[in-house]
Amino acid sequence: MVWNISSKMLERLRQRAQQESCTIDELLDRLLADQPMPAASRPTLPPLFQNHDFVWTDDLYQFITENSSEAISVHAPDGRFLYINPAQAHLTGYSAEELIAFKPEELAALVHPDDLVHTQQTTHYGRLLAGETSTHLQYRMQLKDGSYIWIETASRPVFGPAGEITHIIATSRDITARKQAEDFRRYQAQLLQQVSDAIIATDSALKITSWNAAAQTIYGWTEDEVIGLPLDELLQTEWVEDLREQALDSLIRTGIWQGELRQKTRSGHTIYVLASVSWLRSDSGEIIGGVTVNRDITARKQAEEALQQSEARYKLLTEIMSDYALSVAVKPDGSLITEWVIGAFTEITGYPVSPPGAPASLATVHHDDYPRVHDDLMRTINNEPNVSEYRIFKYNSTEIVWLSVTRWPIWDDHEKRVVRFYSVAKDVTVRKQAEEALRYSEARLKSLLDSQTAFVIRTDMEGRFTYCNQPFLQKYGWFHNDLIGTSSLDTILEEDRDEALQAVEICIAQPGVPVQVVLRKPTYNHGILSTLWEFVGIQDHTGAVTEIQCVGFDISERIAAEQTLRDERQMFIAGPCVVFKWRIEPGWPVIYVSPNVTEQFGYLPSEFIEHGLLFDHIVHPDDLSRINTRIFEESAIGAVHIEQEYRLRHKNGEYRWVLESTTILRDSHGVVKSYQGYIQDITVQRNAREMAQEQLRLRISLEQEKDINNTIRLLISNWVHDLKTPLSVIGIARDVLARTLDQTDQGRSREKLETIRNQIQILDKLLNDLDTMSKLSFEHRELRLSRVNLAALCQITLQDMRETVGIHHRLVFVSDQQISFVEINEVLVNRILFNLLSNAVKYSPVGGEIRLELLRQGECIVLRVSDQGVGISEVDLPNIFKPFYRVNNTRSIDGSGLGLSIVQDCVQLHNGKISVESVVGMGTIFIVKLPLITSS
Ligand code: ADP
């Protein structure tokens, strides 16, 4: 309390002391004896005046109260204001007149409703009336502007002559700032309860002075063991991104450093931590030590590194190997039978692997988790894949193992139910225990709050933000003032809002119990952040939950990494690559094979794993020695990866071409331990590749044939030219003969007739030659058969037509998939196709459809060429295969009449048959049947 003692006031004090014949000090003692004023606050007079006596007048008394910065008021016993000093008016915002005019109930209305009970039940007036000599109260009071402040009031009664209370004197003080500070401290304390990070304090020489429970969990040392040791040396700290000097530099400049560190735990393991280091300063600002808050991010780091470094398939393999997996058959009556178990089942659970066929049981599951596991199992049987995390009791011990189990149901279309499921289990005990320990870890360092990387928010019961810490605002890109008072629900992705509301309901039902929930939020720059929140219901003094406090960690990266892993795993299980792991023993026994082997190759994994089916047995015998030799050679020269193609027998007996991609696993001495890899069915790709190669080969061989064809064409045209000469001679001779027939010159007539006979003989010989020649080119050539992909041949012939004579027609190819390689003479078959197709084009209108069909009929290959052209009359049909026969009405169209006779020759050389069906004006179908020879 500050007393302003003016000279005028001192003058009055002196006068009063004179009147009462005492010193100023004595006077003050007497006057203040009854005042609610601590003796220490009594005005001390400057020494100059201490020997002067003065008189304590009412004026002086009033002067003191009027000038006091302490709010002073005088009340009637019912609480009404009788007097208030200016400081009191200033405190409340009301004028003295306004306050004095308030009735007792109006005054009560100024007190915050929550504090009213507390002020009234034990009201100072009541308490004073009941005999207490003074009261102290703290409550919130509404100011004239409507806002509330915290007020502390001390009251004392003033008694009348009969000992009754005549009035009450009160002093009041604004303690809002103190209250807020208290709240904040409480809040900090609550917050520190949630901390899950290692918090380590050091002195200025970086020697450890404090070490919390989380630090013990993460690093393995107890606090007693580490106090006084140099922090960096103990943890063998290495800086991952910054250099040590940069980190220290940043620490000195900004007072804080955040970044990744690599450290060693007590057991020698390397862990990665996200550290947040800040200086602790004394009141005078000098550095007295440091605080580091370390979060173990090893798991995240490893996931990141795995993603970056290794290819997805090997990562998946390692994942599968490090877990254990089992297959459980679901019987029609709902009972569960274990089919097989692979991996570290015994190491993790302690139980011996149950023999195939043993009933699967949940007896080992922790009773608290049993209902959940049971529900998840039911979901699996209802064809819903799921993941559950639960505890089991280790075999013959009370030790608990946490498992994360992923289950894939296998639906049987025939039985219309789930007949089996696969489970992949992972031991997550360490993680779970760490989470448990961290959740309740104790923290003692207040300065943590500022360097906390966790998000801290609070909301009221309507979900409006009441507090957000800096890391939260920074991460989400919001400004504090924009956010306070707005709905926190609006900042959550719509799909996640129900989950948030459910978490809040649990918080209300069970105050103080943390509820974990992962929520996604859009950020200002259109990203999505996933945060692992822990909600806690905060109670007021009546026990009601009035606020929800949420502490969250950004797990976006972890979620993304997990999702990628899940996608990849799913891709693998559902994908075409079958994963194998082989033992190095004769016959290549299989240690592991992924379940999709059934879908891809028809075998059950158990046929390999349990029933002794060797890998060798399903490899094509012709490929076996090739692949074995390759594997041994490559292993011997230190190769790590082999790829090769070979044929594998499907369970249905059919051979499929596969690509095997294998990694050779070695121990630390380089000795080969096993092979693992994946096998992919590439039959379709390989067929396509072979088809392309075949087409290329056929093209080259037909190209050569074209040259022979050209020679024949040249020959024929020469002969036609040669034929014209004797014909014209015959013509002229006949004319002459006609003209001279009247004159009976026998000799001349005979001579001309002789000429005709000679020329006819020449013509006859020429025609015979032509016939012989054409026969020679086909008949006398030995029929050499070779293995030809007939579909490929059809396709390239059609393609050639499309690009040349058939440019204005629609050429369609229909092929029976069963036919690929057959024994034929590709040149002759090409000639058959070419002649039939070019006729179809020639004798069809532009735009007409021409179909080439390749079919199999019993032991025959059938080639059908059909068109929608002019057709051939019944009269002409028997003749069209004769050499030089041309139908009259098609004479305007270029042709020699030789094409069909050549076709017939070629067909007959193959021991085949050709037939024709035609309707004039509708179209024609030529059907060629060749015997099917497939032997290699
Ligand atoms: P060219 O076509 O050179 O005349 P061909 O021996 O190939 O000789 O055919 C003989 C005759 O058969 C042709 O002149 C034609 O009248 C008839 N012919 C052949 N193919 C067809 C067809 N697809 N449609 C209608 N007539 C045809």
Side-chain angles (χ1 to χ4, degrees), residues 630-798:
R630 171 101 195 275
I631 287 180
F632 287 126
E633 281 175 3
E634 297 272 344
S635 307
I637 58 166
V640 286
H641 190 210
I642 312 174
E643 279 200 355
Q644 47 187 350
E645 291 182 12
Y646 52 87
R647 282 160 292 177
L648 210 59
R649 197 177 63 239
H650 191 281
K651 182 95 190 240
N652 65 15
E654 195 184 305
Y655 278 100
R656 312 287 301 169
W657 274 99
V658 297
L659 170 71
E660 178 200 300
S661 179
T662 294
T663 304
I664 302 174
L665 302 175
R666 295 166 196 275
D667 65 12
S668 53
H669 306 293
V671 177
V672 178
K673 282 285 154 229
S674 64
Y675 295 101
Q676 68 184 32
Y678 69 90
I679 286 179
Q680 192 178 0
D681 186 338
I682 54 158
T683 311
V684 175
Q685 294 93 310
R686 210 180 144 103
N687 283 348
R689 200 167 68 201
E690 276 177 355
M691 175 77 111
Q693 282 167 354
E694 178 71 357
Q695 288 186 345
L696 183 68
R697 188 186 69 75
L698 288 169
R699 258 181 208 290
I700 294 168
S701 108
L702 294 175
E703 217 40 61
Q704 292 162 350
E705 174 60 14
K706 235 186 231 160
D707 292 344
I708 300 172
N709 277 339
N710 286 342
T711 317
I712 293 173
R713 216 174 298 136
L714 200 66
L715 269 177
I716 291 176
S717 82
N718 285 342
W719 283 323
V720 170
H721 179 261
D722 291 349
L723 273 171
K724 276 186 184 162
T725 317
L727 273 176
S728 62
V729 176
I730 294 170
I732 295 162
R734 198 200 64 86
D735 288 351
V736 173
L737 190 61
R739 257 184 276 127
T740 57
L741 210 61
D742 296 341
Q743 305 148 19
T744 52
D745 184 349
Q746 290 282 323
R748 239 175 104 78
S749 297
R750 252 198 316 277
E751 189 191 328
K752 292 302 169 203
L753 284 170
E754 189 60 21
T755 309
I756 292 169
R757 197 177 64 88
N758 286 340
Q759 293 300 332
I760 288 172
Q761 274 176 350
I762 294 169
L763 196 56
D764 192 43
K765 184 175 180 299
L766 268 176
L767 283 170
N768 280 341
D769 280 356
L770 184 57
D771 193 33
T772 319
M773 196 60 206
S774 70
K775 286 250 167 64
L776 258 184
S777 42
F778 310 115
E779 212 169 74
H780 299 298
R781 197 185 289 175
E782 178 197 352
L783 180 73
R784 260 181 291 136
L785 298 181
S786 57
R787 213 168 152 265
V788 176
N789 186 325
L790 186 52
L793 182 62
C794 290
Q795 270 176 352
I796 65 167
T797 313
L798 267 182

Side-chain angles (χ1 to χ4, degrees), residues 835-836 838-844 865 867 869-872 876 879-891 893-903 916 918 923-926:
N835 279 316
L836 293 179
S838 55
N839 275 353
V841 168
K842 255 193 329 195
Y843 302 114
S844 300
V865 178
D867 63 50
V870 295
I872 306 164
D876 291 312
N879 302 314
I880 52 170
F881 292 103
K882 292 178 182 162
F884 303 109
Y885 187 88
R886 302 204 69 211
V887 175
N888 259 330
N889 63 351
T890 58
R891 279 184 183 274
I893 300 167
D894 248 13
S896 65
L898 278 172
L900 285 178
S901 107
I902 294 173
V903 168
V916 57
S918 185
T924 308
I925 306 172
F926 284 93

Side-chain angles (χ1 to χ4, degrees), residues 7 28 209 272 280 628 773:
S7 51
L28 280 176
T209 56
Y272 285 86
L280 275 184
N628 280 341
M773 196 60 206

Side-chain angles (χ1 to χ4, degrees), residues 1 32-38 61 70 72 154-156 169-171:
M1 203 182 306
L32 299 180
D34 287 336
Q35 299 308 316
M37 194 187 297
Y61 184 83
E70 189 90 344
I72 301 170
S155 310
R156 272 166 171 263
I169 296 174
T171 55

